[in-house]
């Protein structure tokens, strides 16, 4: 008992000095960046600077992880429930701003233009739902995990088991995307193969989370947020100052858009872009209005349903702090999301001004750097060297030896990392952005892996298999499971699955359909019972998973047996693929039709549009047709909604 008291005392001292600790850390990081900038000017090779950036930041995260190691259950699962709101908001921001946000979102805005705003609006708006509908009430309940809440609210282990299935599916999909992001960054800046880089990233993830659980992850994520926000803002602030004389890109963004529009017109007139090119500010060129707003809704609801996000609000000292920390989360997330559209615009402006229209023999070095990583193609071929692209472009009639817009294909996950090089900024800025992207991917991967391992060790092993397991064994099981899941995620990522943003969107739809109806009705409707929750989770999650898997991987089956038809071009309204022609060749049908067929012209990244309404409807109908919950349960639901009073599960708060 004295050891626990001593530990709590040390933890309290640390919490009271957080401002000083992270102030020193921030100053040290800025000093480190300045030192590397000086080394670059002195002629230190870029490779060495890249290594120093990656290994220094990984070493700091590892140090925090090791210093935060614990053998106390409440510390491992919920950081002792004493994380102040502002720091929990910062940790949530890092947990949230994954490789998809840091690496993928500006790239998608670059590619999609106006339509990419669906991601910004959906992910930001989701935190409003978190604050109003879910987070404070789960904190008042006092659980360790989302499946914990499902089990206690809906009685028994079946609801817990279903919540675990939903958690595993959405979190594993999400964590693979993060490991994939670490692989892209590490392969670029450490000069190793993508497959090897994935496992290097995995090592960084494990040292942060394995020994200290939620306590280590929380304080590491605060450090990672500081790195990622400095890294994200720096290049675009410099570009804004260089081009428009004002280092506030959010205010000069409009001027950048105006220049992009002028360049689009001139490129079309000179034949450097196709006559039907997508204009950056034109709405509904990639998504129809229905798909645009469906995606926003699915991302919003998915945000309020993701277990690794909701877990962060279990760590605050009180219900009030949980609600406050959502507001802080929004502020810290806003800083990046408000900048992402400007980031995409400045990057596109650099490409239009300095790359398009250049002779193939004079293209900048960054094209070949990323071409060797299979992330940039010119005339359909990986841009590995000048000879390769000249040969590829020579096969295209009328190409003319000048780089046209339609000849250049940049992987959307490359835009943020490559922008400093595209703009000709010092290499130290590129290394800084890489460190930020690594921080974003690592912080989210830590949170996701912890959510998966905690569900397996706490909800499966401790609650369902061995309720009498001692603390030490429970935490050993958690760490072993964390390692197994992490290696599986790295192996999956090494196979180079679909792009990051699509994978993350799938995770949101799965969480929205599987968790949201049960969470919201569990808190806000006393009549909801276990029969309804189980039926609703199975129906909603099942339909979403079916639609996602069939439309993406077995579209031939969807078109022939389940009434799926071709999706429509958002501009012309014509089918994007000839289904009958594709079905005529069974050998290639699935490849041709993948993600191009569906129901009611809904893209598979918005598959929760089918599962979520079904989940709500089934849960309500089945609950009304079966006996009401006990009086005691209904009183507990009322108590959850009262801001004041004791935590419901007192034994969990200890």
């Amino acid at each position: 008992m004295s050891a626990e008291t001593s530990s709590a005392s040390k933890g309290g001292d640390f919490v009271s000095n957080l401002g000083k600790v992270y102030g020193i850390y921030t100053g040290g990081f800025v000093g480190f960046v300045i030192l590397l900038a000086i080394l670059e000017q002195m002629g230190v090779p870029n490779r060495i600077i890249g290594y120093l950036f990656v290994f220094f930041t990984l070493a700091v995260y590892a140090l925090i992880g090791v210093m935060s190691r614990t053998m106390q259950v409440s510390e491992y699962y919920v950081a002792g429930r004493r994380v102040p709101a502002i720091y929990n908001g910062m940790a949530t921001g890092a947990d949230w701003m994954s490789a998809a946000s840091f690496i993928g979102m500006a790239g998608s805005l670059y590619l999609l233009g106006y339509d990419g705003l669906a991601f910004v609006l959906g992910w930001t708006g989701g935190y409003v739902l978190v604050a109003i509908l879910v987070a404070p009430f789960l904190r008042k309940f006092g659980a360790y995990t989302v499946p914990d809440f499902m089990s206690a609210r809906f009685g028994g282990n079946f609801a817990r088991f279903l919540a675990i299935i939903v958690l595993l599916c959405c979190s594993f999909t999400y964590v693979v995307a993060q490991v994939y992001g670490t692989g892209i960054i590490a392969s670029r800046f450490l000069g190793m193969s993508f497959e090897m880089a994935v496992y290097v990233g995995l090592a960084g993830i494990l040292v942060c989370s394995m020994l200290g659980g939620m306590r280590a992850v929380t304080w590491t994520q605060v450090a990672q947020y500081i790195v990622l926000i400095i890294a994200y803002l720096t290049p675009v602030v410099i570009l804004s100052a260089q081009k428009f004389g004002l280092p506030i890109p959010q205010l000069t963004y409009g001027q950048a858009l105006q220049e992009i529009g002028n360049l689009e017109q001139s490129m079309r007139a000179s034949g450097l872009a196709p006559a039907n090119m997508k204009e950056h500010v034109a709405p509904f060129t990639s998504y129809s209005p229905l798909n645009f707003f469906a995606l926003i809704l699915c991302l919003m609801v998915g945000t309020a349903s993701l277990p690794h996000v909701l877990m962060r609000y279990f760590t605050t000292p009180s219900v009030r702090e949980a609600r406050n920390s959502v507001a802080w989360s929004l502020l810290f997330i806003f800083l990046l999301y408000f900048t992402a559209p400007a980031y995409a615009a400045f990057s596109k402006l650099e490409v239009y001004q300095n790359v398009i229209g250049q002779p193939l023999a004079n293209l900048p070095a960054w094209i070949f750097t990323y071409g060797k990583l299979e992330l940039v193609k010119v005339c359909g071929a990986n841009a590995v060297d000048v000879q390769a692209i000249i040969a590829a472009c020579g096969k295209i009639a009328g190409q003319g030896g000048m780089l046209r817009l339609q000849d250049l294909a940049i992987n959307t996950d490359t835009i943020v990392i490559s922008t400093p090089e595209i703009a000709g900024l010092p290499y130290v800025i590129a290394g800084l952005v890489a460190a930020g992207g690594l921080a974003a991917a690592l912080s989210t991967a830590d949170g996701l892996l912890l959510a998966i391992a905690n569900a397996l060790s706490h909800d499966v092993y401790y609650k369902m298999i061995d309720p009498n397991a001692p603390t030490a064994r429970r935490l050993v099981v958690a760490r072993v499971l964390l390692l197994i899941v992490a290696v599986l995620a790295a192996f999956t990522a090494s196979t180079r699955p679909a792009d990051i943003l699509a994978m993350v969107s799938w995770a949101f739809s799965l969480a929205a359909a599987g968790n949201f109806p049960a969470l919201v009705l569990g808190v806000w409707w006393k009549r909801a019972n276990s029969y309804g929750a189980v039926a609703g989770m199975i129906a909603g999650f099942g339909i979403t998973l079916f639609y996602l898997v069939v439309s993406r991987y077995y579209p031939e089956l969807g078109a022939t047996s389940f009434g799926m038809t071709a999706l429509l071009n958002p501009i012309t309204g014509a089918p994007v693929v000839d289904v009958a022609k594709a079905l005529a060749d069974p050998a290639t049908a699935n490849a041709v039709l993948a993600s191009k067929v569906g129901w009611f012209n809904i893209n598979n990244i918005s598959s929760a549009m089918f599962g979520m309404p079904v989940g709500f409807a089934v849960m309500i109908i089945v609950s009304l047709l079966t006996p009401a919950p006990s009086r005691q349960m209904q009183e507990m639901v009322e108590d959850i909604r009262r801001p004041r009073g004791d935590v419901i599960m007192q034994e969990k708060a200890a």
Side-chain angles (χ1 to χ4, degrees):
M1 187 68 185
S2 58
E4 286 187 17
T5 305
S6 172
S7 174
S9 173
K10 289 177 184 176
D13 291 342
F14 175 69
V15 169
S16 64
N17 288 312
L18 282 173
K20 185 186 297 183
V21 170
Y22 284 109
I24 294 170
Y25 166 81
T26 304
F29 178 70
V30 171
F32 173 71
V33 174
I34 293 171
L35 173 64
L36 291 187
I38 294 170
L39 291 177
E40 182 182 1
Q41 295 302 312
M42 292 172 60
V44 173
N46 289 349
R47 172 70 62 84
I48 301 299
I49 290 174
Y51 272 104
L52 287 172
F53 254 122
V54 173
F55 286 122
F56 172 79
T57 50
L58 283 180
V60 171
Y61 305 150
L63 179 64
I64 296 172
V66 171
M67 290 176 64
S68 302
R69 64 190 182 276
T70 183
M71 286 302 290
Q72 289 180 260
V73 171
S74 68
E75 292 285 350
Y76 191 89
Y77 286 125
V78 289
R81 299 198 197 276
R82 59 169 178 263
V83 182
I86 185 171
Y87 293 99
N88 195 53
M90 206 177 288
T92 305
D95 201 349
W96 178 247
M97 287 185 294
S98 60
S101 292
F102 191 98
I103 301 172
M105 188 165 63
S108 291
L109 285 160
Y110 176 100
L111 178 69
L112 301 174
Y114 178 97
D115 291 2
L117 293 175
F119 293 97
V120 180
L121 294 170
W123 283 336
T124 310
Y127 274 85
V128 178
L129 299 184
V130 171
I132 295 171
L133 296 178
V134 184
F137 311 103
L138 293 189
R139 177 61 188 90
K140 174 72 183 288
F141 183 75
Y144 279 166
T145 65
V146 172
D148 241 0
F149 171 77
M150 295 292 195
S151 172
R153 170 63 181 88
F154 298 115
N157 282 332
F158 195 30
R160 183 194 299 275
F161 176 73
L162 291 175
I164 292 167
I165 296 297
V166 174
L167 182 149
L168 291 177
C169 288
C170 63
S171 296
F172 190 78
T173 304
Y174 207 161
V175 80
V176 167
Q178 308 317 308
V179 180
Y180 179 86
T182 63
I184 288 178
I185 296 166
S187 63
R188 164 66 187 93
F189 289 91
L190 299 182
M192 58 180 64
S193 70
F194 174 80
E195 291 74 17
M196 176 68 72
V198 162
Y199 288 97
V200 171
L202 175 70
I205 292 165
L206 288 175
V207 295
C208 297
S209 57
M210 197 162 175
L211 296 176
M214 182 59 87
R215 180 165 78 170
V217 165
T218 296
W219 305 127
T220 305
Q221 284 174 339
V222 175
Q224 287 165 334
Y225 178 82
I226 293 167
V227 171
L228 74 86
I229 202 64
I230 292 173
Y232 200 83
L233 294 176
T234 299
V236 73
V237 165
I238 293 172
L239 287 176
S240 178
Q242 285 181 349
K243 289 191 174 297
F244 304 110
L246 183 65
I248 308 176
Q250 297 86 350
L251 297 182
T252 58
Y253 171 45
Q255 293 172 266
L257 290 179
Q258 194 170 14
E259 289 198 18
I260 287 171
N262 294 336
L263 287 167
E264 287 171 341
Q265 287 184 342
S266 64
M267 287 191 300
R268 278 198 297 261
S270 60
L272 290 173
N276 63 343
M277 73 174 290
K278 292 179 181 177
E279 294 182 8
H280 190 73
V281 297
F284 311 130
T285 55
S286 299
Y287 299 133
S288 65
L290 173 62
N291 273 302
F292 182 80
F293 291 107
L295 181 57
I296 290 173
L297 178 62
C298 289
L299 294 177
M300 283 182 68
V301 175
T303 299
S305 311
L306 280 172
H308 81 283
V309 171
L310 298 177
M311 274 175 62
R312 286 248 45 97
Y313 300 106
F314 297 164
T315 65
T316 58
S318 67
V319 176
R320 181 188 178 88
E321 291 273 298
R323 202 183 294 274
N324 288 344
S325 74
V326 181
W328 282 112
S329 304
L330 261 175
L331 173 65
F332 292 125
I333 291 165
F334 166 83
L335 291 176
L336 188 145
Y337 279 22
F338 194 48
T339 309
Y343 208 122
F346 279 100
S347 184
K348 182 170 275 192
L349 186 58
E350 287 290 334
V351 170
Y352 283 2
Q353 287 179 333
N354 303 321
V355 181
I356 303 302
Q358 294 294 316
L360 294 175
N362 295 341
L363 294 181
W366 66 266
I367 284 184
F368 305 108
T369 300
Y370 289 95
K372 289 171 184 173
L373 298 174
E374 301 180 13
L375 297 171
V376 175
K377 295 180 185 290
V378 175
C379 296
N382 288 319
V384 292
D385 53 38
V386 173
Q387 291 73 26
I389 63 174
I390 290 176
C393 293
K395 299 174 184 176
I396 300 175
Q399 203 281 331
M402 307 280 280
L403 184 69
R404 304 172 300 173
L405 183 64
Q406 59 266 44
D407 299 328
L408 179 65
I410 305 177
N411 184 305
T412 55
D413 300 330
T414 312
I415 293 297
V416 169
I417 305 171
S418 63
T419 290
E421 292 164 274
I422 292 173
L425 297 177
Y427 184 82
V428 70
I429 302 297
L432 174 64
V433 171
L438 205 57
L442 292 175
S443 59
T444 304
D446 285 334
L448 289 161
L449 285 172
L450 200 61
I452 295 170
N454 286 0
L456 292 174
S457 64
H458 176 73
D459 292 295
V460 176
Y461 176 70
Y462 178 59
K463 289 291 187 178
M464 298 170 69
I465 296 174
D466 187 3
N468 298 315
T471 297
R473 191 192 306 162
R474 289 169 62 188
L475 296 184
V476 167
V477 168
R479 286 163 180 152
V480 170
L481 289 168
L482 186 72
L483 180 63
I484 292 170
V485 172
V487 171
L488 284 174
F491 173 76
T492 307
S494 70
T495 64
R496 295 177 181 261
D499 71 277
I500 290 178
L501 215 59
M503 291 183 67
V504 169
S505 300
W506 297 345
F508 279 79
S509 274
L510 291 171
N515 279 342
F516 193 69
L519 283 172
V520 170
L521 293 178
V523 170
W524 293 100
W525 190 40
K526 292 188 294 183
R527 185 66 176 75
N529 63 19
S530 58
Y531 301 104
V534 165
M537 291 173 74
I538 291 173
F541 182 75
I543 287 177
T544 298
L545 186 63
F546 171 84
Y547 187 72
L548 196 161
V549 169
V550 171
S551 63
R552 174 66 180 84
Y553 298 104
Y554 305 101
E556 180 184 6
L557 180 65
T560 55
S561 303
F562 295 103
M564 292 185 181
T565 55
L567 300 178
L568 305 179
N569 184 299
I571 300 173
T572 65
V576 296
V577 66
D578 187 332
V579 175
K581 183 178 179 181
L583 292 176
D585 185 358
T588 61
N590 278 330
V592 172
L593 296 176
S595 298
K596 294 177 182 174
V597 298
W599 294 325
F600 305 110
N601 193 35
I602 296 288
N603 294 336
N604 62 23
I605 59 173
S606 303
S607 51
M609 288 300 292
F610 299 106
M612 186 173 57
V614 168
F616 270 112
V618 169
M619 187 169 171
I620 291 169
I621 292 169
V622 173
S623 291
L624 291 173
L625 293 176
T626 50
S630 67
R631 177 80 180 166
Q632 181 184 7
M633 179 61 68
Q634 295 189 47
E635 288 174 353
M636 186 188 81
V637 174
E638 282 189 357
D639 200 11
I640 288 174
R641 299 203 295 262
R642 291 192 192 101
R644 301 182 186 280
D646 294 331
V647 170
I648 305 298
M649 296 179 69
Q650 281 293 344
E651 73 279 8
K652 297 293 184 187

